[in-house]
Amino acid sequence: MDDYEAHLKICDTLRQINEDDHDLHSGRFFGEFEYAGPQVEEALINMTNWDTFLYTRAFDAINSDRGMRQATRLLTYPITVGSVLHELSPYQMQKDGRLTVEGLKSFSALRYNLHPPKSGGSGDVKGLRVEPPPVRLFVLGARAESSLPRNVWVQLAHLFPTAKLHVILIGPESMTNRDDEFPLPPRTPSNPFGAIVEDRVWPTMKISTIVDYYHTIHKTGYFAPYDPYFDCFVLFHPGLGHPASSHEWAETVPMLLETKLPIIATGYTQADMERDIDWVNKTAGGEFDILLKPGENAFRSLRWDLNDMDPQDVSAGNWGVWAFRGKRYEATHKGSV
């Protein structure tokens, strides 16, 4: 009887996946893909869940479950990052909260520049002020997220309207589904990795794409120096512990830990996340700090995805989220121990 009930649940999910796919090709007008503009300065964003977020961001009302599934399938990428880094993040340190002390240290440093105080500057000569560099978000192993419509990524800029952002998509598959942008720029002394730079995405946001492995770039010092106040790594479904992809991360992860920058990672399922955490633990020998305890992502995709090779392998985009960082040791003075 239990097997039969489980079978019915899978059948309902499979039906839902199939209907969602057909809906995308139906030719109807997708009002859920009309995104909100800049946030009103006096209006705070409520990041408790998808409903409160969309309401306080003044999105058009989405009145169907299918519409929510279609909308969150894309928005989950920028909003997952924003929900962790934002000062109004749903992840806090209260009782049973998922944010750790080390996480508060790392994310507070980034929030200092993501929510800068008013500088008093203006558009004339007298109003000129020294501006900090942009906050760099390194999205490693980029695949589907690199081909997102740019107005989806701009939602991240609207969460931090007074900060400048530079999203850097890195990975051998970072140009997947972007055939219109081929051929890639030539590799020149001024652009050694042939980066595609989109600097008109939004006045405060720039997106760069590099088709290469991160560890190859890291060895050259191209992005050095790294600053915990301005830099952060993001890994969407990296498959760190997956047998088919772990070898591709074996050289990269130690380099990420060496920078001491926060690393935000997501997983398709609970098992996927736990496998990644176990792999990092074995690879790093415990030399890392958990910044955000693993658990379900408040802004996961509400739409289910199906593995065509295994119909029982059902997952959701960015189902879980956690964060870690290379372990830092406080300096001690001789004789103080």
Side-chain angles (χ1 to χ4, degrees):
M1 188 63 184
D2 292 339
D3 291 341
Y4 180 70
E5 291 179 354
H7 172 73
L8 290 179
K9 289 181 181 179
I10 292 178
C11 287
D12 289 341
T13 304
L14 292 178
R15 182 184 298 109
Q16 185 184 100
I17 293 171
N18 183 264
E19 290 175 350
D20 287 347
D21 284 338
H22 279 77
D23 180 54
L24 281 179
H25 297 86
S26 65
R28 71 174 177 87
F29 172 73
F30 289 89
E32 56 266 41
F33 293 152
E34 298 291 320
Y35 301 120
Q39 183 72 3
V40 177
E41 189 173 352
E42 292 78 16
L44 291 178
I45 301 173
N46 187 326
M47 306 194 80
T48 304
N49 52 47
W50 276 119
D51 291 328
T52 60
F53 172 79
L54 296 175
Y55 178 77
T56 54
R57 276 287 290 119
F59 275 72
D60 291 339
I62 301 176
N63 298 317
S64 69
D65 291 341
R66 176 163 296 132
M68 279 292 287
R69 293 197 296 270
Q70 305 290 25
T72 59
R73 183 66 183 89
L74 302 182
L75 287 172
T76 180
Y77 290 98
I79 307 307
T80 292
V81 178
S83 69
V84 176
L85 299 180
H86 202 277
E87 63 182 357
L88 300 177
S89 168
Y91 310 112
Q92 300 294 337
M93 288 186 61
Q94 288 96 343
K95 184 179 179 182
D96 298 328
R98 291 169 55 186
L99 186 67
T100 66
V101 174
E102 293 299 322
L104 182 63
K105 294 177 184 178
S106 287
F107 295 138
S108 293
L110 283 167
R111 289 167 185 168
Y112 181 81
N113 290 296
L114 288 170
H115 302 282
K118 296 288 185 182
S119 65
S122 61
D124 56 15
V125 175
K126 292 183 180 180
L128 292 178
R129 297 290 187 273
V130 177
E131 293 186 351
V135 174
R136 300 186 298 181
L137 300 175
F138 298 93
V139 181
L140 308 187
R143 293 170 305 213
E145 58 272 24
S146 67
S147 60
L148 286 176
R150 292 314 183 228
N151 58 342
V152 175
W153 276 114
V154 165
Q155 293 301 310
L156 188 60
H158 292 333
L159 292 181
F160 309 104
T162 55
K164 290 187 176 181
L165 301 176
H166 186 187
V167 178
I168 306 171
L169 304 164
I170 302 175
E173 300 177 75
S174 58
M175 288 299 294
T176 303
N177 297 325
R178 295 172 63 179
D179 298 338
D180 294 341
E181 299 176 57
F182 282 97
L184 299 176
R187 300 197 175 201
T188 63
S190 60
N191 188 10
F193 294 99
I196 297 175
V197 181
E198 304 166 67
D199 58 356
R200 294 291 184 270
V201 175
W202 190 254
T204 59
M205 172 179 271
K206 178 169 73 172
I207 297 179
S208 299
T209 306
I210 300 178
V211 185
D212 210 331
Y213 285 103
Y214 172 78
H215 58 257
T216 304
I217 305 171
H218 183 92
K219 291 175 183 176
T220 67
Y222 183 65
F223 290 118
Y226 297 94
D227 191 328
Y229 281 81
F230 289 97
D231 299 327
C232 177
F233 292 110
V234 181
L235 314 178
F236 290 115
H237 317 117
L240 300 176
H242 195 282
S245 57
S246 60
H247 66 281
E248 296 182 336
W249 293 100
E251 193 173 357
T252 300
V253 170
M255 294 178 179
L256 302 185
L257 297 176
E258 184 183 346
T259 65
K260 311 301 182 187
L261 298 180
I263 306 165
I264 302 171
T266 68
Y268 287 114
T269 61
Q270 181 75 28
D272 184 35
M273 271 198 312
E274 292 175 352
R275 183 174 57 194
D276 287 352
I277 296 170
D278 291 341
W279 185 88
V280 172
N281 207 4
K282 292 176 183 177
T283 303
E287 287 295 307
F288 71 99
D289 292 318
I290 293 291
L291 308 183
L292 182 69
K293 298 174 185 176
E296 186 171 354
N297 178 12
F299 293 95
R300 72 173 183 86
S301 169
L302 298 180
R303 178 179 165 180
W304 294 104
D305 295 313
L306 178 68
N307 181 353
D308 293 334
M309 304 300 292
D310 181 5
Q312 291 191 343
D313 183 9
V314 177
S315 60
N318 298 322
W319 180 90
V321 65
W322 64 295
F324 61 107
R325 182 202 63 206
K327 188 175 285 292
R328 293 167 56 183
Y329 293 94
E330 302 294 336
T332 56
H333 297 282
K334 187 176 181 180
S336 63
V337 180

